[in-house]
Amino acid sequence: MMPAITARAHTNIALVKYWGKADTDLIIPQTSSLSLTLDQFYTDTQVQFDPALTADQVTVNQTVLSPDASRKVRHVLDLVRHQAGLTTFARVSSQNHVPMAAGLASSASAFAALAGAASRAAGLNLSRTDLSRLARRGSGSATRSIFGGFVEWQAGHDDASSKAVPFMEQVDWPIAMVALVLDPHQKKISSRQGMQSSVTTSPYYAAWRDVVATDLATIKPAIQAQDFQQVGEILEANAMRMHALTLSANPPYSYFNGDSLVAMQTVRELREAGSACYYTMDAGPNVKVFCQEADLPVITHRFAQQFRDDRVLVAHPGPGIQWLEN
Ligand code: DP6
């Protein structure tokens, strides 16, 4: 019997976003991206290859997935089997740890944990760089969740060169990310569909590539200098420029809802009133607010009044992949 291995990976929020693939099979992105791994939201995944199984069996939060719903997971298992020279099917059991059904449980932590658990369960001992490449094959943003702190996903040009590189694993900087849960439901347009539509139909896509190159070049020294204002200004503008690719696609679409706009306006008001903070958004209506530890009480109080206190979740920089004792 092969061992059951459990890995834990945390989700990450991109400060300079990934929004578009150059290769949809290998998940090679159009641009590099840079994120912050968070401590509060994570996935634990256990994998065991078992000769008694006649098919892969995938359970997420105690629910068995249909073959269709488990397609991406089985794709990663196939890659692991190929590398390890195995033909055995696997039992995969995954638990998302998010304070509530928040719509924040991202594929980033899920596929990073899967890569970590499946590879070791198959007897492979991959470097973290190679784990990031494996996680990438499940979901692009998972590439970055192998490492903690600030992480760059270097776009590269092929399977070997498209990988995560830690930019600052130990974050000795009192910053926080406040996640506002504005709509816990599943997004209607997946990031996979949305970004592909932006690449193929937005006339602004070429400009986006230039935006990302500039933002990466400026955000890195700003992070190193702990220049909160500059990092905040870059991440906020970058997020809005990503969302401009959704509005400019054909057909146009948007991830904003009314509350997203209200929350963004509140961030601007807080800023004018002296509590420095900046917003970012991904492929859904939830808004994430980048702020400094000292301003957390004022900021969380304001949003708790505006929405509900159970909709305001505070996260800090988090660690890279870990393996747990079974
Ligand atoms: C807006 O990683 O979910 O969160 O590679 O198709 O699985 P696939 O997409 P995914 O896209 C994430 C998009 C984003 C920005 C980011 O995380 O960089």
Side-chain angles (χ1 to χ4, degrees), residues 92-127:
V92 177
S93 175
S94 195
Q95 194 72 36
N96 285 316
H97 293 267
V98 181
M100 48 186 280
L104 291 170
S106 86
S107 57
S109 55
F111 283 100
L114 177 66
S119 57
R120 286 212 182 169
L124 297 169
N125 192 8
L126 301 181
S127 66

Side-chain angles (χ1 to χ4, degrees), residues 52-75:
L53 292 172
T54 53
D56 290 321
Q57 196 186 90
V58 182
T59 309
V60 176
N61 297 342
Q62 273 87 48
T63 303
V64 179
L65 299 191
S66 68
D68 193 41
S70 67
R71 194 178 45 80
K72 289 186 206 168
V73 172
R74 289 183 292 107
H75 175 56

Side-chain angles (χ1 to χ4, degrees), residues 7 16 82 90 232 251 305:
V16 177
H82 182 74
Q305 278 188 320

Side-chain angles (χ1 to χ4, degrees), residues 24-268:
T24 53
D25 286 336
L26 291 173
I27 313 198
I28 311 289
Q30 289 270 353
T31 67
S32 298
S33 55
L34 190 139
S35 60
L36 179 63
T37 301
L38 300 180
D39 63 347
Q40 285 300 308
F41 318 121
Y42 59 92
T43 303
D44 288 342
T45 298
Q46 187 182 76
V47 178
Q48 184 168 34
F49 290 91
D50 182 348
L53 292 172
T54 53
D56 290 321
Q57 196 186 90
V58 182
T59 309
V60 176
N61 297 342
Q62 273 87 48
T63 303
V64 179
L65 299 191
S66 68
D68 193 41
S70 67
R71 194 178 45 80
K72 289 186 206 168
V73 172
R74 289 183 292 107
H75 175 56
V76 172
L77 293 172
D78 284 341
L79 294 168
V80 168
R81 275 188 283 259
H82 182 74
Q83 275 192 56
L86 278 179
T87 50
T88 321
F89 291 110
R91 193 175 302 107
V92 177
S93 175
S94 195
Q95 194 72 36
N96 285 316
H97 293 267
V98 181
M100 48 186 280
L104 291 170
S106 86
S107 57
S109 55
F111 283 100
L114 177 66
S119 57
R120 286 212 182 169
L124 297 169
N125 192 8
L126 301 181
S127 66
R128 293 205 296 170
T129 301
D130 286 343
L131 281 177
S132 79
R133 294 174 43 239
L134 177 61
R136 191 196 79 228
R137 305 292 292 274
S139 182
S141 52
T143 312
R144 301 179 307 236
S145 272
I146 296 296
F147 295 100
F150 291 99
V151 186
E152 182 176 7
W153 174 12
Q154 298 183 341
H157 57 273
D158 61 9
D159 179 42
S161 57
S162 189
K163 58 180 196 288
V165 175
F167 179 70
M168 185 190 282
E169 282 229 82
Q170 291 306 319
V171 182
D172 189 16
W173 186 14
I175 49 169
M177 194 68 83
V178 179
L180 304 175
V181 181
L182 304 176
D183 182 354
H185 297 109
Q186 187 88 28
K187 53 203 173 198
K188 285 181 200 72
I189 301 174
S190 69
S191 26
R192 192 153 294 190
Q193 286 171 287
M195 68 175 74
Q196 190 56 19
S197 154
S198 294
V199 172
T200 52
T201 69
S202 172
Y204 303 153
Y205 201 82
W208 167 250
R209 275 195 288 262
D210 296 341
V211 162
V212 170
T214 304
D215 288 350
L216 283 171
T218 50
I219 205 167
K220 289 187 197 173
I223 291 169
Q224 246 141 9
Q226 302 196 351
D227 185 336
F228 176 78
Q229 183 180 340
Q230 211 196 347
V231 170
E233 285 174 2
I234 294 167
L235 72 88
E236 191 173 284
N238 183 271
M240 292 303 101
R241 288 170 180 181
M242 180 202 111
H243 285 276
L245 297 173
T246 72
L247 297 172
S248 57
N250 183 18
Y253 61 99
S254 174
Y255 292 110
F256 296 176
N257 70 14
D259 282 342
S260 318
L261 298 172
V262 168
M264 289 191 269
Q265 178 59 27
T266 302
V267 168
R268 287 188 285 266

